[in-house]
Amino acid sequence: MAEEASLPELFDQLRRRWKLAVLITAGVFLGAVAYVETLANEYQGRAIVAFAPKAIQDQAPPSADTVRLIVPAYSAYVTSPTTIDDVAEQVNVDPDDLADGVDATVATDTGNLTISVTLRRSRPAARAANALAEAAVEFSADDELVGGEVVVE
């Protein structure tokens, strides 16, 4: 069985090898800094659009199932090349970069569309997410069954 070293013996060993300990620590620290510096800056802008059934004159309003069936089409609309090109022009972002960074998902069993935009700069990412959310709301104005509203910019 190995003997346990006392605290003074450990300090004595460290005193003798402090240069090696500092050298190893500095190497690990510099390696971590170098790795972090090679990572690309990415910022994410998010917006949430809530969809609800529209009231139809002289008819019962559509059910929640209608919302669950229709809202995924808005996800496809937001990520479509035409919409991305229009928004890229509005917010002065390269359409290819925007197309690569856009994601639109619908939360399960809800009418909430979450639009995420990941770009190298924070303000363009936020402006693009908000512009895509507004585009979805404008597109829903012509929809007879559901209407959208930006709830989180």
Side-chain angles (χ1 to χ4, degrees):
M1 196 150 119
E3 292 183 29
E4 292 184 22
S6 65
L7 194 56
E9 290 172 347
L10 291 175
F11 281 127
D12 187 45
Q13 293 294 325
L14 182 61
R15 184 177 53 85
R16 287 189 216 157
R17 295 181 178 95
W18 72 270
K19 290 179 185 177
L20 180 61
V22 168
L23 187 62
I24 291 171
T25 304
V28 170
F29 178 75
L30 291 175
V33 168
Y35 172 71
V36 168
E37 288 298 320
T38 63
L39 298 175
N41 292 335
E42 287 188 343
Y43 298 93
Q44 193 171 61
R46 277 201 180 131
I48 298 176
V49 181
F51 290 90
K54 284 184 178 177
I56 302 172
Q57 292 179 354
D58 301 331
Q59 293 181 13
S63 69
D65 290 333
T66 304
V67 173
R68 280 184 281 207
L69 290 172
I70 293 176
V71 173
Y74 285 91
S75 177
Y77 171 76
V78 166
T79 59
S80 72
T82 305
T83 306
I84 288 175
D85 288 345
D86 291 345
V87 168
E89 186 177 322
Q90 287 177 19
V91 297
N92 198 24
V93 174
D94 181 40
D96 293 331
D97 290 343
L98 185 57
D100 292 340
V102 171
D103 183 39
T105 58
V106 179
T108 305
D109 291 334
T110 70
N112 295 336
L113 176 66
T114 302
I115 301 167
S116 300
V117 177
T118 304
L119 295 172
R120 292 184 181 261
R121 295 189 342 251
S122 61
R123 285 200 174 137
R127 286 195 322 259
N130 291 337
L132 287 166
E134 287 299 327
V137 170
E138 288 174 18
F139 187 64
S140 74
D142 295 332
D143 194 330
E144 296 177 359
L145 298 176
V146 298
E149 178 182 354
V150 177
V151 292
V152 177
E153 290 188 345

